[in-house]
Amino acid sequence: MDAYIQGLGLVLDPYVLLVMLLAGGFGLFMGAVPGLSATMATALLVPVTFFMEPVPAVAAIVSATAAAIFAGDVPGVLLRIPGTPASAAYTDEAYRMTQKGEAELALGVCLVTSVIGGLFGAVVLMLAAPLLAEFALGFSSFEYFWLALLGLTSAAFVASDRPLRGLVSLLLGLLLAGVGMDPISGFARFTFGSVDLMAGVNLIPAMVGMFAVTEVLRGVTRGFEADGAPTKGVGNVFKGLGRVLARYKLNLLRGNVLGTIIGALPGAGADIAAWISYALARRFSKEPEKFGTGHVEGLVDAGASNNSALAGAWIPAMVFGIPGDSITAIVIGVLYMKGMNPGPTVFLEQPQFVYAVFLAFFVANLMMLPLGWAAIKAAKPILAVPRDLLMPVILLFCVVGSFAINNAVFDVGVMLAVGLVAWLMEENGFPVAPIILGLVLGPLVEQNFLTSMIKADGELIAFFERPVAAVLGVLTLAVWLYPLVGLARRREREAAGGRARSGAG
Amino acid sequence: MRINDAAIGGLLLALALAVFVHAGSFPPTPGQPYGPSLFPRIIALGLGGAGLLLIVGGLRARRDGGVWVDLDAWARSGRGWANVLAVVLALVAYILLSGLLGFLLTGFVVLASLLLWLRGPRRLPSALAVSAAAVVVIHLIFVRLLAVPLPRGALETLIG
């Protein structure tokens, strides 16, 4: 208890709060510009934190990443260009809402669910870190394989109005993910001699191409004002929010829980959490047909999920020094630098620092409410600019953002190539979102499958031998077979009805 | 611009076959039943199957009176395609020239040209002003603040 109070004192220091505020602003910018991400924001903050005490250093990173993950939603809602991969799962849905005139609701939902998700994750972090860390580290390649496969299956739910086309997009995404060095043997696949391709197709330039370049191409062919996007400012984002949240409180809870758990799994971060949450929301919704037309339900789940995943990622990071996502991979380095060696001993030797980190999460997410609101309002002058002037400028930002990841012009080429193909695909009714899912989860599925096969000496039954793997495996197979069962039952009912009618007549 | 499903399906089938055959050249992982060729081949099978389904659907649509290519209004005029070409050329120009001329000059010229093409020659002043402002802002944020090494050219060495 004493340590808590000490931790509180460490966080509620005016210098720390100021640092968090500035870092939050920085995070908002990094999240909102397509091509810049929360991970990059963290990486760029590291040299700045050299000169800080441990608590403000870590608090700055916490604040920046929370703001960045929310800020990615803003261009997604207003321009259909996600600012970070974590927002890509529901960008289409959110933009449909904007086209229906519900941009304020979409933004408000994204903001408030982000805050609630972050707070939930912070609470779980405080209460259950060691326990969840034990569970998360019990995951071996078998469990990861089933989880990744389950995630891929969610693509089928995300595009269920035109399943064949969604499947094609997913397969193309998986194929794209195969470019580069094979995860097990290191053999360079589909590189055709290019050194740049040996690292594979980078997710962010591909994503920027898929969303930003396609938007620009759509605009120059169909006219920029043609799709009903908002041109004046955004109104009151909090209007009608209470009703939405009350209606979908179960979704909110599910998004929070799922996000925290997925974040706690090493290697799975906010973007995967958002995808799986959105897909599950669609699968278990009482009105699944509304998804894709601009329905707010999926945003509640996924908006909360990606922010709670941020907090969840700190669980294995703090308890074992094993990163939960790419952001915490960098953070662990910072922790070591500041003498807060992550691991069980840090809870014993420096509890006040640990609690300060947890409390920083709270404060950062609460701070995000006014900061995010300000960011949304700041979007107003940007929206007033005529689209045919704005979009080419955004395109230049995207070019520089794509370049900035590896300092390679090759990535700009990737952005262009992927953008062109994606534009042609979308013109022909192929959804673009499953490509990203394939890119993100493909390597996970393949690597864990092959690793598991090596461990099991080629015995396929090994995928069901471990308890958690067996449960996940059965769940995945059930999810695959469920629609067939439903089909069979319906056929039976129709046949019975036909028999009854012909019998009575 | 919608291409008939059968054509798209044919394309996918060709891609699937190419991938499947190419994957045969991948060396197996010694001692393991599955190597780098496994997943590409599974994906190729899936793509081939989907391609076949699309071909069937497309041919059926043709039989019911569909067309091979359905052009929207914009696709029928030259202007839409010219705009697409303009965007592509702008990006290609940036990729090829930025290393030579540096970001400030290349970015300015490419953006201004694109804006000029899209908005017309009467909007020249705004195109120039906006391009200059955008390029300066990007330079300040990315190079000065975030220390991203954008390509340096004559203009960059002038300002130091």
Side-chain angles (χ1 to χ4, degrees):
Chain A
M1 197 58 221
D2 197 31
Y4 259 110
I5 300 183
Q6 267 189 299
L8 202 64
L10 284 171
V11 169
L12 294 182
D13 169 80
Y15 172 68
V16 173
L17 291 175
L18 180 66
V19 163
M20 286 178 74
L21 199 67
L22 291 172
F26 172 68
L28 284 177
F29 171 75
M30 296 295 285
V33 173
L36 303 178
S37 63
T39 311
M40 200 186 283
T42 313
L44 291 171
L45 273 179
V46 170
V48 178
T49 62
F50 281 165
F51 308 104
M52 290 189 206
E53 295 289 307
V55 171
V58 173
I61 295 179
V62 167
S63 180
T65 51
I69 296 288
F70 157 68
D73 296 338
V74 177
V77 169
L78 296 175
L79 298 171
R80 200 177 173 266
I81 304 176
T84 65
S87 310
Y90 47 93
T91 289
D92 269 338
E93 190 80 58
Y95 191 66
R96 288 292 153 92
M97 285 185 70
T98 301
Q99 289 179 304
K100 283 178 12 181
E102 295 179 352
E104 290 91 358
L105 185 61
L107 284 171
V109 165
C110 286
L111 177 59
V112 173
T113 54
S114 291
V115 171
I116 295 179
L119 289 173
F120 180 89
V123 168
V124 171
L125 188 60
M126 280 170 64
L127 299 178
L131 215 77
L132 261 174
E134 284 283 346
F135 172 73
L137 283 179
F139 266 59
S140 72
S141 61
F142 300 100
E143 285 84 5
Y144 270 107
F145 167 72
W146 284 120
L147 187 72
L149 205 59
L150 197 61
L152 275 185
T153 316
S154 57
F157 300 137
V158 169
S160 58
D161 46 345
R162 303 195 73 173
L164 185 59
R165 289 173 134 80
L167 182 66
V168 169
S169 295
L170 181 65
L171 288 170
L172 287 175
L174 288 172
L175 196 62
L176 206 60
V179 173
M181 292 204 289
D182 154 41
I184 298 296
S185 67
F187 176 74
R189 295 187 293 197
F190 304 118
T191 57
F192 304 115
S194 157
V195 174
D196 296 285
L197 279 178
M198 277 176 79
V201 171
N202 199 301
L203 172 67
I204 295 197
M207 188 194 78
V208 170
M210 272 184 255
F211 284 97
V213 173
T214 53
E215 263 315 291
V216 172
L217 288 174
R218 250 194 301 275
V220 301
T221 51
R222 294 168 189 275
F224 279 106
E225 316 293 330
D227 61 359
T231 48
K232 48 192 179 58
V234 177
N236 181 11
V237 295
F238 296 115
K239 191 163 67 167
L241 209 51
R243 215 176 336 122
V244 169
L245 290 177
R247 178 149 179 225
Y248 296 114
K249 51 183 177 294
L250 218 63
N251 293 57
L252 194 57
L253 184 65
R254 180 176 60 208
N256 286 331
V257 170
L258 208 60
T260 312
I261 294 179
I262 295 179
L265 295 174
D271 46 358
I272 296 181
W275 275 110
I276 297 187
S277 277
Y278 180 75
L280 283 183
R282 186 171 189 154
R283 179 68 187 80
F284 291 110
S285 162
K286 298 196 185 74
E287 352 176 67
E289 70 286 348
K290 284 203 190 162
F291 276 72
T293 64
H295 188 46
V296 75
E297 186 174 355
L299 267 70
V300 173
D301 269 80
S305 178
N306 53 19
N307 275 74
S308 54
L310 280 181
W314 283 69
I315 294 175
M318 294 229 67
V319 179
F320 291 110
I322 296 176
D325 63 8
S326 48
I327 293 171
T328 40
I330 301 173
V331 165
I332 286 175
V334 175
L335 290 175
Y336 271 108
M337 263 199 300
K338 299 294 175 192
M340 285 166 71
N341 299 357
T345 52
V346 74
F347 286 85
L348 300 169
E349 290 170 13
Q350 298 166 319
Q352 70 275 22
F353 280 135
V354 173
Y355 294 132
V357 170
F358 296 164
L359 289 165
F361 259 99
F362 260 118
V363 175
N365 278 292
L366 287 173
M367 224 186 251
M368 196 163 65
L369 207 53
L371 274 178
W373 177 85
I376 295 172
K377 285 299 172 186
K380 177 171 183 176
I382 300 181
L383 287 178
V385 176
R387 274 310 151 81
D388 59 353
L389 187 60
L390 181 66
M391 292 307 273
V393 174
I394 292 187
L395 191 64
L396 191 62
F397 268 90
C398 292
V399 165
V400 178
S402 297
F403 172 86
I405 298 161
N406 285 324
N407 299 330
V409 191
F410 183 77
D411 285 338
V412 182
V414 166
M415 182 191 87
L416 174 60
V418 171
L420 268 176
V421 173
W423 172 66
L424 286 171
M425 283 174 69
E426 283 196 311
E427 288 286 314
N428 285 284
F430 286 85
V432 134
I435 305 181
I436 301 185
L437 200 61
L439 260 180
V440 170
L441 285 179
L444 221 66
V445 175
E446 182 174 14
Q447 179 169 6
N448 285 295
F449 178 78
L450 291 174
T451 309
S452 305
M453 289 306 285
I454 293 177
K455 287 200 286 198
D457 256 337
E459 304 269 332
L460 278 173
I461 195 67
F463 281 97
F464 292 94
E465 277 174 4
R466 293 166 58 95
V468 181
V471 167
L472 282 174
V474 168
L475 203 68
T476 310
L477 291 175
V479 160
W480 283 5
L481 295 173
Y482 184 80
L484 293 172
V485 168
L487 206 74
R489 276 214 201 123
R490 226 182 321 139
R491 288 259 174 85
E492 237 186 77
R493 241 180 291 138
E494 285 171 9
R499 260 181 275 128
R501 263 181 274 125
S502 59
Chain B
M1 180 200 67
R2 300 188 81 86
I3 305 177
N4 186 288
D5 279 6
I8 299 180
L11 220 75
L12 286 174
L13 194 58
L15 177 67
L17 278 167
V19 168
F20 195 90
V21 166
H22 182 73
S25 69
F26 296 162
T29 313
Q32 292 302 319
Y34 303 115
S37 62
L38 176 71
F39 268 69
R41 288 199 148 165
I42 295 178
I43 296 169
L45 284 173
L47 274 176
L52 281 170
L53 285 171
L54 279 173
I55 291 178
V56 166
L59 288 176
R60 204 177 290 164
R62 272 285 288 163
R63 197 190 51 203
D64 295 339
V67 290
W68 275 120
V69 186
D70 179 15
L71 292 174
D72 295 318
W74 68 261
R76 266 170 253 164
S77 80
R79 183 75 199 180
W81 288 109
N83 286 351
V84 171
L85 197 63
V87 172
V88 172
L89 281 178
L91 288 173
V92 169
Y94 179 88
I95 293 172
L96 293 176
L97 295 174
S98 62
L100 241 80
L101 303 173
F103 167 73
L104 283 175
L105 191 59
T106 324
F108 174 74
V109 169
V110 162
L111 185 57
S113 315
L114 190 59
L115 283 174
L116 210 62
W117 172 267
L118 290 175
R119 307 184 83 222
R122 238 184 302 151
R123 305 283 185 92
L124 180 66
S126 69
L128 291 176
V130 167
S131 304
V135 161
V136 165
V137 166
I138 292 179
H139 180 87
L140 284 174
I141 297 178
F142 280 82
V143 178
R144 293 295 156 100
L145 194 65
L146 300 180
V148 174
L150 288 179
R152 290 178 61 89
L155 271 181
E156 278 85 352
T157 34
L158 265 176
I159 56 178

